[in-house]
Amino acid sequence: MDAVIGLDCSTSAVKAVAFDARGVVLAEGRAALAFRALGDNRFEQDPGDWWRAACTALRALVAAAHGVRFIGIAIANQRETIAPLDDAFRPTRPAILWLDGRAADDAAAMASRFGRDELHRITGKIPDPNPALYKLAWMRRVEPATLDASRYFAEVHGYLAQRLTGRFATSTASADPLGVFDLKAGAYADELLGSIGLRADQFAPALPPGSVIGALHAEAAAETGLPEGLMVAAGGGDGQAAGVAVGLAAPGRAYLNLGTAIVSGVHSHAYRIGTAFRTMISAGGPGYVLETSLRSGTLLCDWLARDLFGDPAALTTLEAAAAALPPGADGVFVLPYFLGVMTPHWDSGARGAILGLAPHHGRAHLLRALFEGIAHEQADVTARIVAATGLAVREIVAIGGGSRSDLWCQIIADVMGIPVLRSASAEASALGAAMAAAVAAGWFADFTACAASMAGPITARFDPDPGRVAAYAACAAAYRTIYPRLAGFPAVP
């Protein structure tokens, strides 16, 4: 049986999944991936661990794939993470992760130099510590010797593609999130790179998703267990790849990844920018993804269960009790800005808040309030996209670990007032990457035809309840006042 592989290198794991031409999973492998929290909002990872985890996951996949012939492989990657490399592609320092916030001052300084609006126009993104551009500016200011000693700068896709094929290349949908790419020109932004003493030829040449990068070389074949000569294709950032997997290009559809971070996207044929979203190159053919992002999603759920409740299984056991509570969680509100806020306020100094607590509130109230706070946040940013662009959002396809919660999906449907569909694609980013490999292999003429065959089916539908929609509309009016009232509240160092 023929299969294509999606290799998804996320923040905490690498997943290798083989799919047939209908999008059915034939085999999979997984390996954990650690990162270091250094304090002061700093997070780093060893690029060598990306390769070691990829090899472990791929060997597990091969061992499980009895009677399967592999046709091609493509990569989905954690985004905005950047690794400086020497001329032999060895790291000169650990990679700085996407969730690292050390570059806030550097983002502000570059916005002052170029103009906030001009940076937004070029990169499609409001200046913010996330994109690698500002992490590199931090290195220029704090670690100039390391920056000057580095010959190349790789995001995860480019690094893994080089290890697989010997060719340093990436996808436009992986280069773009770095913030060093001119989206309209489709090329690296020389002026931005030059301002920190870097050049475009130090970054991986960027190919359209679904393009052939090269063939698996002998050394990589020996380390991964895959056949030498296997076709390696350009995939894309994990967020855009997940959108491909749920057929994001369908009119009126948005996707919502309830993962470590909460990421949602709407497809746009035209290049658009706005403060309510960041603009990304699509990983599924021509066009863009207008994307919203909240850094603290299931990360916040895990914190609630582990650190506040002292019970990692608490969310599962409390869901029925939380479902029995009325909309508004009896007056408890959660502002989910525990790692700052990107869209729509772009305030890296913002912090979370739990408001309205009284003696009769318990753990179930906090759980429901957390689900509701994230739902209110998503409803707000989605409404802003609709207002700014005129694009319709008539349904949301939920993916990621949080989508397994019936309660959370129903709350999102009731708060947003539109149906939430649960996708069967448990590994949506891996599926989106595999779809890029399928297009590159010639299985389908384009991503539209590929999506018609391979995009994950819908397994559940949550329709909004009119009574709860009205109740949440009143809650939303109160929720929207929280951030403006707390903005500027002095943070504890």
Side-chain angles (χ1 to χ4, degrees):
M1 185 177 294
D2 290 347
V4 286
I5 301 170
L7 183 67
D8 175 21
C9 184
S10 67
T11 312
S12 57
V14 175
K15 288 86 70 178
V17 189
F19 299 88
D20 68 11
R22 296 168 298 154
V24 175
V25 174
L26 302 178
E28 56 188 299
R30 177 184 294 262
L33 194 56
F35 64 87
R36 290 178 291 277
L38 305 178
D40 195 25
N41 208 16
R42 300 185 182 201
F43 301 89
E44 296 182 348
Q45 204 162 45
D46 179 2
D49 287 346
W50 302 337
W51 177 244
R52 286 184 283 271
C55 290
T56 299
L58 287 167
R59 287 194 300 269
L61 169 70
V62 171
H66 306 293
V68 174
R69 182 177 67 166
F70 299 119
I71 303 301
I73 182 173
I75 300 162
N77 59 281
Q78 54 164 297
R79 303 175 297 177
E80 293 119 358
T81 295
I82 192 71
L85 310 172
D86 66 14
D87 56 4
F89 297 99
R90 296 171 302 207
T92 58
R93 76 173 315 283
I96 303 178
L97 282 187
W98 60 273
L99 51 75
D100 189 284
R102 73 184 72 186
D105 291 343
D106 303 278
M110 193 163 283
S112 178
R113 175 175 180 175
F114 286 95
R116 181 182 173 94
D117 291 343
E118 180 66 2
L119 284 172
H120 193 185
R121 183 193 66 79
I122 294 171
T123 68
K125 298 148 193 68
I126 293 283
D128 176 80
N130 265 52
L133 171 64
Y134 309 112
K135 297 173 173 64
L136 293 169
W138 176 90
M139 287 187 64
R140 171 57 64 200
R141 178 171 59 86
V142 179
E143 299 180 0
T146 302
L147 197 74
D148 290 336
S150 303
R151 172 63 182 88
Y152 299 107
F153 298 89
E155 29 65 56
V156 176
H157 188 302
Y159 181 84
L160 291 178
Q162 197 280 327
R163 296 296 300 261
L164 289 167
T165 68
R167 180 186 179 190
F168 189 38
T170 191
S171 164
T172 53
S174 296
D176 152 41
L178 296 177
V180 299
F181 211 70
D182 185 324
L183 265 66
K184 290 199 76 173
Y188 288 104
D190 291 328
E191 184 179 8
L192 300 184
L193 290 173
S195 71
I196 50 177
L198 300 179
R199 307 179 310 276
D201 66 8
Q202 294 178 276
F203 293 78
L207 309 176
S211 301
V212 175
I213 290 176
L216 193 74
H217 59 60
E219 182 180 342
E223 292 191 67
T224 63
L226 294 172
E228 183 179 353
L230 180 70
M231 182 270 293
V232 179
D238 52 9
Q240 300 109 298
V244 176
V246 300
L248 179 62
R253 172 170 286 190
Y255 83 92
L256 177 61
N257 187 356
L258 297 172
T260 303
I262 305 296
V263 180
S264 180
V266 179
H267 186 268
S268 172
H269 293 291
Y271 180 62
R272 308 168 190 257
I273 59 174
T275 58
F277 55 88
R278 53 185 186 173
T279 307
M280 300 285 190
I281 292 175
S282 170
Y288 303 89
V289 178
L290 311 184
E291 186 181 277
T292 67
S293 181
L294 178 66
R295 289 182 173 187
S296 43
T298 57
L299 177 148
L300 197 50
C301 298
D302 293 341
W303 166 82
L304 191 71
R306 182 188 61 245
D307 296 331
L308 215 57
F309 297 163
D311 177 8
L315 302 191
T316 301
T317 58
L318 285 172
E319 184 155 321
L325 295 171
D330 281 338
V332 180
F333 286 89
V334 170
L335 185 70
Y337 296 169
F338 282 53
L339 289 173
V341 57
M342 295 173 64
T343 53
H345 304 301
W346 302 99
D347 181 359
S348 61
R351 290 295 177 263
I354 302 174
L355 306 172
L357 290 173
H360 69 279
H361 291 134
R363 297 192 301 172
H365 291 88
L366 289 177
L367 176 60
R368 185 174 186 110
L370 174 58
F371 285 171
E372 290 178 345
I374 291 174
H376 281 303
E377 196 64 27
Q378 190 59 51
D380 180 44
V381 290
T382 300
R384 290 172 186 254
I385 289 178
V386 171
T389 66
L391 296 171
V393 177
R394 291 187 288 269
E395 62 184 20
I396 292 270
V397 180
I399 57 176
S403 69
R404 292 192 289 268
S405 167
D406 287 358
L407 173 60
W408 204 355
C409 288
Q410 186 62 58
I411 286 173
I412 292 167
D414 292 335
V415 171
M416 298 189 69
I418 57 177
V420 171
L421 314 179
R422 179 188 289 148
S423 172
S425 302
E427 299 294 350
S429 295
L431 175 56
M435 291 166 71
V439 171
W443 282 9
F444 303 97
D446 53 30
F447 280 96
T448 301
C450 183
S453 177
M454 292 185 70
I458 300 303
T459 59
R461 178 186 176 98
F462 302 86
D463 289 307
D465 175 86
R468 290 193 294 266
V469 169
Y472 277 126
C475 293
Y479 177 83
R480 286 192 294 268
T481 69
I482 296 173
Y483 172 75
R485 293 188 179 193
L486 294 182
F489 188 84
V492 177

